[in-house]
Amino acid sequence: MSRARALPGLALALAGVLYASWLIGPLLNPAFDLLDGYASELAARDQPYHLVFGLGDLVVGALASATGLALARRARGWPRWAWWGLVAFGVATALDGTVSSMDCAPSVDARCARLAELGALSWRDQGHSVTSAVAVAAALASLFALLVSRRDRRASFRWGLAVAAVLVVGTVGTLVELAHPDGALGAWQRVQLLGLSGWLLYAGGIVLSDESRHSTVT
């Protein structure tokens, strides 16, 4: 398999790793531990090193959208839907880290929390909920399409089901916590984020596997 053929899969694998930048959050911003608040608060514009985390989202978004577009143009059927979902995720994630980054971190700033409750934060902050929701919805749709396309390949399908289980559990837990807060929001969202990184790695593995099989056949 040539380097050019391997590039899309490697780009998705890199995106999956970079999407876990929240793991270094406690090192750069000790106000947060691994389970505190939204991971997006690390990129809030009033937080130290917010540019690092914002840039991480921008790079992940660029990698995902560019790779998804390249793959969608040559795919058919369910894979094509999966790659268009990847494009939507990429665009939304890039916006998350730039245009719609949060103003401040409500979990560590009481004043920020009050302003958020009053709806007094900027349109950029309020738009963050929209772009984040679009990113997760697009990822779920993409993963579903990938699972359907891999249903006749048992090993790949099982790995996909494992990733889907983590992502769905994390997403449901996050939604329940938003409706009935009990202080576990950060934990549930981190499960969701692990599922999203797993999806990107899974998608990258599929691309590399398919390209390797194609090179062997030809």
Side-chain angles (χ1 to χ4, degrees):
M1 179 170 51
S2 67
R3 290 183 179 180
R5 286 186 175 277
L7 190 58
L10 294 175
L12 290 180
L14 177 60
V17 173
L18 292 177
Y19 199 67
S21 64
W22 55 272
L23 288 170
I24 65 171
L27 298 177
L28 299 182
N29 190 346
F32 293 89
D33 65 27
L34 284 178
L35 302 181
D36 276 341
Y38 286 110
S40 298
E41 291 182 75
L42 292 166
R45 291 189 293 280
D46 69 338
Q47 294 300 302
Y49 296 101
H50 68 278
L51 292 178
V52 172
F53 298 101
L55 179 61
D57 279 348
L58 178 60
V59 172
V60 169
L63 287 171
S65 55
T67 303
L69 183 61
L71 293 171
R73 293 176 63 181
R74 66 189 194 195
R76 294 291 183 272
W78 285 104
R80 189 173 193 180
W81 288 108
W83 304 136
W84 279 120
L86 180 64
V87 172
F89 166 84
V91 172
T93 299
L95 292 174
D96 261 355
T98 54
V99 176
S100 65
S101 59
M102 300 176 74
D103 289 341
C104 50
S107 69
V108 296
D109 184 343
R111 179 177 179 275
C112 178
R114 287 195 299 272
L115 290 174
E117 289 177 0
L118 295 172
L121 296 175
S122 73
W123 64 268
R124 295 173 62 172
D125 190 285
Q126 295 177 33
H128 183 79
S129 297
V130 176
T131 53
S132 294
V134 169
V136 174
L140 285 167
S142 174
L143 181 52
F144 174 78
L146 285 176
L147 284 173
V148 174
S149 71
R150 311 298 285 189
R151 62 189 182 277
D152 58 342
R153 299 180 185 178
R154 291 186 178 181
S156 179
F157 184 73
R158 287 173 181 171
W159 277 109
L161 283 180
V163 172
V166 174
L167 180 52
V168 170
V169 167
T171 300
V172 171
T174 300
L175 292 174
V176 171
E177 183 64 24
L178 286 172
H180 304 285
D182 66 4
L185 176 61
W188 284 115
Q189 198 212 14
R190 268 42 169 209
V191 174
Q192 181 187 63
L193 294 176
L194 287 174
L196 290 170
S197 284
W199 157 65
L200 290 168
L201 292 169
Y202 177 63
I206 286 176
V207 174
L208 289 172
S209 174
D210 287 351
E211 291 294 350
S212 177
R213 184 178 294 106
H214 177 77
S215 297
T216 301
V217 171
T218 56

